[in-house]
Amino acid sequence: MQYNPGWNGSSVNLLHVRAAGPGDSLHYVWSSIGAPAVLLVATQSPSSALRVNWSQLLSASPAGAIWIDPPDSVVYSTAGVFTKLFEFSEAKPLGKLFYPTYDLSEFSWDSLNHTLNHTALTAELSGVPASDPGGGFSNGSLAFRVTAYEADGRDGRLPGLLHTANSSQLEFILAGVAPRGNSSRFVLEVATVEEAGAARRLRSERSIDDEYTPTIFEVLALVAEAQNGSSTLGFLQWKATAYGSRSPRREDGIRCRAQGLQAANWTLPVSSIVQAYFGDSLGSTCTVSALNVSFGGEEGEVYQEKRYLSWSVLLGFGEPPRDTFSPLVISITAVALGTPLAMLLLGSCLVLLAQRRRYSEYEPIN
């Protein structure tokens, strides 16, 4: 993990996370320059390196300021941008009442270096609007908490996402922000960037297994697939829940919905690492898609009461991890289903045996 590699200042935030394998390497680049964004690059070289031209990156024309060396080692690259936070309330009978949008590219962000933990592989990017006329952020903040992983495993806190060494977790946190209406609900806008040859698709999977996330039976994934459908290149994966507590429990759950993936008909915020890496192709060959993730529902008052919301999403390369039944659940299921079946078979055998013995005591009648 490197903070602002090649730059001594802390007025901007750029975090580079590199995972090296025997024959390849993965790069995650997180930044709050412009809107908060993450750049994901997979290479076929174990020694590939991130290069940053800082003077160009901080200029009005950042295209080409970020690249991977050697350039021909890159096999796949994508990006995610967290652009806006919407707030609305249900105003009956008029319908939804939207308040002025929080544009995340206009936030003021704290130095990420103060929260960087090289042992736990975590960091937190926290910010507030540069201009906040309504005072909603006077006692609150919006944050993105990043966690990298060195091995396969499962996060110890709800929603307990399963992860691999090829993935990182992002936790979106809204803490202490005063809602502007009764039962306000929030919507986070997420944009993705794909180069030519790849496309995003929203996938929803349901399971009867809620062992690791009680009462939640749906997992959603925003996957990037090759246009020929031959492989899955990358993903964002989350469970259909957020939580209203710093120490989340089942009863703190807040409903989470994905409101459809659409082609973005607007330009991304300027001066971001996305423009710096993709350059001129961002407006020509690259595909920009946007997804709204909403928090709240019938139980929308959870945030109103506790003023806290956290939503966890896993980002990575290849196929997203899939939960399977644990050995304990398999054993309990086997006992629950096997015992009645064994009793049925044993009873059938005893009945047949009793019938044979009864009829064998009599001689046939001539």
Side-chain angles (χ1 to χ4, degrees):
M1 301 181 75
Q2 297 175 294
Y3 176 69
N4 288 352
W7 179 262
N8 293 326
S10 59
S11 58
V12 295
N13 290 307
L14 190 148
L15 175 66
H16 175 220
V17 182
R18 179 175 174 270
D24 56 7
S25 58
L26 308 176
H27 299 266
Y28 294 84
V29 185
W30 305 86
S31 177
S32 62
I33 301 173
V38 56
L39 175 67
L40 295 84
V41 184
T43 74
Q44 56 186 1
S45 169
S47 59
S48 61
L50 176 73
R51 306 298 184 196
V52 181
N53 183 329
W54 281 97
S55 59
Q56 186 177 355
L57 177 62
L58 300 178
S59 70
S61 302
I66 294 179
W67 70 97
I68 298 294
D69 190 25
D72 59 359
S73 66
V74 176
V75 293
Y76 173 64
S77 55
T78 184
V81 188
F82 303 91
T83 51
K84 297 176 182 178
L85 180 69
F86 302 99
E87 182 184 352
F88 70 93
S89 63
E90 298 285 353
K92 296 179 181 179
L94 301 177
K96 294 181 180 179
L97 172 63
F98 279 86
Y99 300 97
T101 302
Y102 293 115
D103 189 336
L104 301 190
S105 66
E106 298 177 355
F107 270 46
S108 175
W109 301 95
D110 296 337
S111 174
L112 185 147
N113 194 37
H114 299 320
T115 63
L116 188 57
N117 188 324
H118 290 274
T119 302
L121 300 179
T122 60
E124 184 172 313
L125 185 65
S126 178
V128 297
S131 175
D132 186 21
F137 278 80
S138 57
N139 294 312
S141 65
L142 182 151
F144 295 93
R145 183 178 297 154
V146 178
T147 304
Y149 299 108
E150 293 183 312
D152 297 357
R154 185 182 299 278
D155 191 59
R157 300 188 336 137
L158 290 176
L161 293 176
L162 182 68
H163 62 257
T164 69
N166 294 343
S167 60
S168 295
Q169 181 171 289
L170 177 70
E171 187 178 0
F172 166 70
I173 301 170
L174 203 61
V177 178
R180 290 173 285 185
N182 295 328
S183 303
S184 279
R185 304 176 191 177
F186 293 94
V187 179
L188 179 65
E189 183 179 70
V190 183
T192 61
V193 179
E194 292 295 333
E195 292 184 306
R200 286 279 176 174
R201 182 172 68 88
L202 183 61
R203 181 192 299 172
S204 174
E205 295 184 355
R206 293 183 178 274
S207 169
I208 63 171
D209 183 18
D210 69 338
E211 177 183 4
Y212 302 105
T213 312
T215 73
I216 304 301
F217 301 94
E218 184 181 15
V219 178
L220 297 106
L222 190 58
V223 296
E225 298 177 335
Q227 288 186 344
N228 58 12
S230 60
S231 61
T232 300
L233 304 173
F235 65 88
L236 281 77
Q237 183 191 55
W238 65 95
K239 294 194 176 184
T241 185
Y243 291 95
S245 172
R246 297 180 186 274
S247 301
R249 300 168 297 173
R250 180 185 62 81
E251 54 267 29
D252 299 318
I254 299 174
R255 188 169 184 178
C256 172
R257 294 178 179 177
Q259 298 180 350
L261 180 66
Q262 298 180 354
N265 56 1
W266 39 261
T267 57
L268 293 174
V270 297
S271 302
S272 73
I273 59 171
V274 177
Q275 279 88 359
Y277 180 82
F278 291 101
D280 296 335
S281 63
L282 190 61
S284 56
T285 58
C286 289
T287 302
V288 181
S289 303
L291 175 78
N292 286 341
V293 181
S294 65
F295 309 101
E298 295 79 4
E299 70 291 345
E301 293 76 13
V302 173
Y303 181 82
Q304 189 82 16
E305 297 172 359
K306 300 187 177 180
R307 301 285 178 93
Y308 189 88
L309 185 150
S310 69
W311 172 63
S312 299
V313 56
L314 195 71
L315 306 90
F317 299 89
E319 280 282 350
R322 290 191 174 184
D323 268 323
T324 57
F325 291 104
S326 69
L328 176 62
V329 171
I330 293 175
S331 301
I332 294 174
T333 305
V335 171
L337 297 178
T339 300
L341 181 60
M343 293 179 64
L344 179 62
L345 292 175
L346 180 61
S348 300
C349 292
L350 292 174
V351 170
L352 291 174
L353 182 60
Q355 287 179 342
R356 290 187 61 185
R357 285 182 175 178
R358 184 173 60 187
Y359 287 112
S360 65
E361 294 176 355
Y362 296 89
E363 295 292 336
I365 299 176
N366 187 352

